[in-house]
Amino acid sequence: MSTSHSSNIQPQPPPAINTTPPQPPPTAIPQATIEEFKTLLENDIRIKVAGIDLDGILRGKIMAKTKFLSVLQSGFGFCSVIFGWDMHDKTYAEELSVSNAANGYRDILAIPDLSTFRRVPWENDIPFFLLSFYDPKTRAPLAVCPRGVLKKVTDELASFGWEAMCGAEFEFFNFKETPDTLAKKGYTNTQALTPGMFGYSLLRPSLHQDYFYDIFDQCRNFDVNIEGFHTETGPGVYEAALAYDNATKMADMANLFKLSVKQLGLQRGIMPTFMAKPYADQPGCSGHLHFSIRDINTKTNLFAVSTASASGFGSSIPFGQQLHSPTSDGEESTEAAGASLDAALNRPDWETSVEGVKEMSQMMKYFTAGLLTALPSIMCILAPNINSYKRLVENYWAPVTISWGIESRVSAIRVIGPPQCDPKGTRLEMRVGGADINPHLAIAACLAAGLYGIKKRLEMPVGPTTVETGEGPIRGERLPKSLRESAMKMLEKGSIAREVLGDEFVEHYGATRMNEHRLWETAVTSWETKRYFELV
């Protein structure tokens, strides 16, 4: 790859969008694989399977082993109503295309993903498999299946020779409650598991040591790998960071982590919550996601300048020439040459003056620009519930604007790279999402938005938060303040969400969020009765 820095570098056209129609799911599982699973399940009589709905809730059942083995090739019918009702099993007021009274809430096709096989250690090691959903007539991936939405994006990345790597962090409050006690209290006056504000405490976990350590150990036995686990600031709040992995495995682990914590808590009379904002006067619960892109063959991190350059990024893929900063790839260059290049590319001053920006490859900048540009359009995936927006308010660390910064925890996107980490650890952190995200949809939306930026060769819509202007620090556009506002952004004609996630998904998902807003709009809350009941 040529690394000369001339002033007449011409942008190359973006890579062609993959227009290959979705293929039917594989129906011919090798006989050897079937025989392997017959052996693995030899001593079992029942199997647990589960798919994921749009709210990120696992919907499943137990099957006889004989039934399970018989449907590995063909799949089996699963009631489509899981995409026709809300999280409390109430059908949507507006009937949607996938599941409705007109089609009789027909079955959709469920196929076990054999690569997700694991055993549930706290349920006597029952075998467990995740499901993916398909249209029963066309056998094409169901447009609203969260695992299918993510697969569509990862397949497109793979067509360019890339693989997305991800991490996830979840904060969650814990209470000395059960479903029965919460119902009797009307979900008010809940008792926190531990008192006070004590982040990174070595004392508070000792109060419920079996629960705390069981989460770490049992998740590991469930193939859900926790990298770090500690108390956060707030009464009874923990935070877990899951070990970095490819996008599909991370989404699966993130969803199963929530399930694991809830089930382990129920066994001990403890109720964890992944609500974005369970307390009005406390920080909320974040669901931060980390992203990088690597070369499938070489496993090099294409977000890092040094590794992207070493891998020849820009010369072997349909993307266009990589544009490094003047000294980023180790070549000798004069300040004048660097200034000439910056001027030719119309680069803003912060490209060279802000520490850390030179450690971002051009691919990382395009990805970040795409994510920032698309953020309002995919907001209702990162903040999917009414309560999500109670967390996203000013004067907390939760970001409320289109913003990014080097190691900035007050921005929507935090860029992490040298010298804070090794170049191979270069990545960005999406900090908008709360713990209430559907991990598959959130990861898919972020990756699709980032890929959009790469293909369009987008410029950053705003400079880093550390840059001062004559009017003070750079402030980006305010993000939507409500679920209705963000859903309307997604549903707009020609929205970026429509372009990167498809009209069929956007129409369905957007309608489910509007349904949630309508339920909230007509609800009478305890705040209203306390405020108005006697005095108005």
Side-chain angles (χ1 to χ4, degrees):
M1 169 182 168
S2 172
T3 54
S4 63
H5 300 292
S6 62
S7 60
N8 61 351
I9 294 176
Q10 297 298 317
Q12 300 297 313
I17 297 175
N18 185 359
T19 57
T20 303
Q23 299 299 309
T27 55
I29 297 175
Q31 188 62 35
T33 302
I34 295 176
E35 294 302 321
E36 176 187 356
F37 274 91
K38 285 181 178 179
T39 301
L40 287 170
L41 305 174
E42 184 177 5
N43 297 319
D44 298 289
I45 60 172
R46 57 183 181 265
I47 313 294
K48 179 171 278 192
V49 296
I52 300 164
D53 72 11
L54 286 173
D55 291 298
I57 298 171
L58 285 152
R59 304 279 188 171
K61 60 182 177 180
I62 290 174
M63 303 175 71
K65 180 179 68 175
T66 51
K67 173 67 174 179
F68 175 81
L69 292 174
S70 72
V71 300
L72 292 184
Q73 296 278 14
S74 59
F76 63 97
F78 203 110
C79 185
S80 65
V81 76
I82 65 168
F83 295 111
W85 63 21
D86 66 13
M87 63 179 68
H88 287 279
D89 295 5
K90 183 177 180 180
T91 54
Y92 300 124
E94 175 188 349
E95 292 201 322
L96 305 179
S97 59
V98 173
S99 183
N100 51 58
N103 67 22
Y105 299 100
R106 63 172 187 167
D107 273 0
I108 51 179
L109 188 64
I111 296 182
D113 183 342
L114 299 183
S115 71
T116 65
F117 170 58
R118 64 229 316 136
R119 291 180 180 273
V120 187
W122 54 89
E123 293 186 20
N124 299 316
D125 283 334
I126 187 172
F128 178 91
F129 296 84
L130 284 170
L131 303 170
S132 292
F133 296 111
Y134 300 84
D135 185 284
K137 293 182 178 179
T138 67
R139 296 183 66 83
L142 198 68
V144 297
C145 171
R147 297 190 85 239
V149 174
L150 178 56
K151 186 178 185 302
K152 180 181 178 181
V153 182
T154 56
D155 283 351
E156 185 172 9
L157 284 166
S159 73
F160 297 129
W162 304 334
E163 178 182 30
M165 300 298 292
C166 301
E169 303 169 4
F170 291 106
E171 297 168 350
F172 56 100
F173 283 85
N174 296 275
F175 299 88
K176 293 179 181 177
E177 303 288 353
T178 68
D180 287 338
T181 63
L182 283 173
K184 289 176 182 177
K185 292 180 176 183
Y187 291 83
T188 61
N189 300 316
T190 52
Q191 184 180 358
L193 186 63
T194 55
M197 313 285 282
F198 204 164
Y200 297 98
S201 172
L202 297 184
L203 300 179
R204 290 293 181 261
S206 299
L207 292 172
H208 298 275
Q209 183 170 297
D210 289 346
Y211 174 58
F212 184 80
Y213 283 106
D214 230 20
I215 290 175
F216 190 96
D217 296 341
Q218 295 282 45
C219 280
R220 183 173 181 271
N221 294 335
F222 192 39
D223 198 22
V224 174
N225 300 312
I226 298 175
E227 191 172 70
F229 193 33
H230 61 90
T231 65
E232 251 296 350
T233 183
V237 60
Y238 295 156
E239 178 176 3
L242 304 183
Y244 220 58
D245 214 320
N246 70 53
T248 301
K249 289 183 179 179
M250 178 50 59
D252 289 347
M253 281 199 297
N255 202 294
L256 293 176
F257 170 75
K258 290 187 181 184
L259 176 70
S260 303
V261 170
K262 291 174 182 179
Q263 289 187 338
L264 292 170
L266 285 172
Q267 292 178 352
R268 291 171 170 80
I270 296 172
M271 179 68 72
T273 182
F274 290 86
M275 274 183 67
K277 187 82 167 180
Y279 291 102
D281 59 349
Q282 297 283 350
C285 295
S286 67
H288 297 157
L289 299 172
H290 293 245
F291 296 97
S292 60
I293 303 293
R294 72 179 186 181
D295 184 283
I296 288 178
N297 296 320
T298 66
K299 308 303 181 187
T300 52
N301 184 353
L302 298 177
F303 276 9
V305 165
S306 57
T307 54
S309 177
S311 70
F313 169 67
S315 60
S316 61
I317 54 178
F319 168 68
Q321 183 164 351
Q322 166 72 343
L323 304 176
H324 296 302
S325 58
T327 58
S328 64
D329 54 12
E331 279 201 354
E332 294 296 329
S333 108
T334 65
E335 291 184 9
S340 174
L341 177 64
D342 290 334
L345 298 174
N346 295 317
R347 286 176 171 169
D349 291 341
W350 55 258
E351 281 266 14
T352 54
S353 63
V354 174
E355 183 181 3
V357 173
K358 290 183 180 180
E359 302 300 334
M360 300 170 65
S361 72
Q362 188 62 49
M363 182 190 210
M364 186 181 192
K365 292 174 185 175
Y366 286 148
F367 187 99
T368 305
L371 193 44
L372 289 169
T373 303
L375 188 50
S377 186
I378 62 171
M379 183 73 176
C380 65
I381 292 178
L382 295 172
N385 301 305
I386 294 293
N387 180 255
S388 307
Y389 298 83
K390 305 296 175 71
R391 169 180 164 268
L392 297 171
V393 294
E394 283 77 6
N395 301 319
Y396 284 94
W397 277 12
V400 296
T401 62
I402 296 174
S403 53
W404 69 280
I406 306 296
E407 277 296 336
S408 173
R409 285 187 166 86
V410 296
S411 301
I413 294 177
R414 171 187 171 214
V415 173
I416 306 166
Q420 282 80 14
C421 69
D422 188 271
K424 66 183 179 183
T426 302
R427 63 196 186 278
L428 63 81
E429 178 186 28
M430 167 50 71
R431 296 181 58 82
V432 173
D436 58 343
I437 56 171
N438 178 331
H440 289 81
L441 295 183
I443 290 174
C446 288
L447 290 176
L451 184 56
Y452 173 84
I454 293 172
K455 293 191 292 187
K456 299 288 187 181
R457 301 175 64 87
L458 295 182
E459 299 296 330
M460 293 285 197
V462 64
T465 50
T466 51
V467 173
E468 295 275 342
T469 66
E471 300 176 351
I474 288 178
R475 303 291 184 189
E477 174 189 336
R478 180 55 162 91
L479 292 169
K481 292 184 176 182
S482 70
L483 182 59
R484 182 182 186 279
E485 185 183 348
S486 64
M488 292 298 289
K489 283 276 188 184
M490 171 178 271
L491 288 166
E492 285 177 356
K493 184 178 180 180
S495 70
I496 296 176
R498 288 184 181 277
E499 182 169 345
V500 302
L501 297 173
D503 285 326
E504 189 174 356
F505 170 80
V506 165
E507 287 291 340
H508 186 105
Y509 183 79
T512 70
R513 298 311 96 185
M514 293 300 292
N515 182 82
E516 193 76 4
H517 167 74
R518 282 191 291 269
L519 291 174
W520 158 252
E521 201 171 35
T522 57
V524 177
T525 66
S526 60
W527 184 91
E528 293 167 280
T529 54
K530 287 177 183 178
R531 189 166 184 86
Y532 304 125
F533 194 94
E534 178 184 2
L535 300 178
V536 295

